[in-house]
Amino acid sequence: MARLCREFYLQDTVEAAKALLGKCLVRRLEGELLAVRITETEAYIGRCDRACHAYNYRRTARTDTLFREGGHAYIYFIYGMYHCLNFVTEPEGEPAAVLIRAGEPLAGTDTIRRLRFGDKPLTAYRQKNFLNGPGKLCKGLSLAREQNGLDLVTGEELFVCDSPEDLGLPSPKPHKERIRCGPRIGVDYAGEARDYPWRFWLEKED
């Protein structure tokens, strides 16, 4: 099964954040394949970014994964409520990662829905807010700190493919999209870094 190679994750973090849009995030859970199309990302770069957990190369037990070679999952717990999935980027020793902020389900939708909402009906509101946030995405894919450090290149539990066809899935209905960018969300504490245009998302065109 085709997947992104190590070299993809070793590129510049901002470029990786843009390049990940439209890619397929795959989670194997108890033998079932769950797949999500990535639609929103944010870049974080420790050497220059006050919003990054490892700003100025600050290495702690929590941030140790960020210093690994690109192509590992960095998952942390925030606000005592949510997990956030990041892909470590750049060479080993350079703490940087891309936060996966949102996605659209491609496979295993019933399981993803159950993980998100339990037995509650999928109302129009829940459909609209299915996976449109990093905590929602992790909940829908059953990702937590136990998956922190997974190798996205060699592992089978979590990885990324170029397209649904790589998984033997049909492509979504084609429509025009453009990549938009803007400041990241929830980083007002980060000084000048709060204005870095390092959030990227796909916007459908009419």
Side-chain angles (χ1 to χ4, degrees), residues 114-145:
R114 175 178 54 79
L115 290 166
R116 274 281 286 124
F117 303 117
D119 296 328
K120 296 176 182 177
L122 188 62
T123 62
Y125 176 82
R126 292 191 182 109
Q127 180 70 48
K128 181 179 179 181
N129 295 279
F130 200 172
L131 299 174
N132 62 341
K136 299 172 187 178
L137 184 79
C138 282
K139 187 174 182 181
L141 296 179
S142 189
L143 292 171
R145 283 177 291 188

Side-chain angles (χ1 to χ4, degrees), residues 9-84:
Y9 299 100
L10 296 178
Q11 67 178 302
D12 174 80
T13 303
V14 173
E15 293 305 312
K18 289 185 284 187
L20 280 164
L21 293 174
K23 298 287 194 287
C24 298
L25 169 61
V26 182
R27 166 82 157 116
R28 290 193 183 277
L29 182 65
E30 298 178 351
E32 183 179 7
L33 185 147
L34 312 180
V36 169
R37 183 172 183 256
I38 298 170
T39 58
E40 186 176 355
T41 60
E42 288 180 347
Y44 290 85
I45 304 174
R47 61 180 172 272
C48 61
D49 177 11
R50 291 179 183 273
C52 181
H53 293 164
Y55 172 61
N56 202 26
Y57 295 92
R58 181 172 181 266
R59 192 165 191 164
T60 65
R62 183 194 195 195
T63 65
D64 187 69
T65 305
L66 277 173
F67 289 82
R68 295 187 186 181
E69 182 181 34
H72 289 84
Y74 170 51
I75 301 177
Y76 60 86
F77 196 51
I78 190 170
Y79 305 137
M81 299 174 64
Y82 308 114
H83 288 91
C84 294

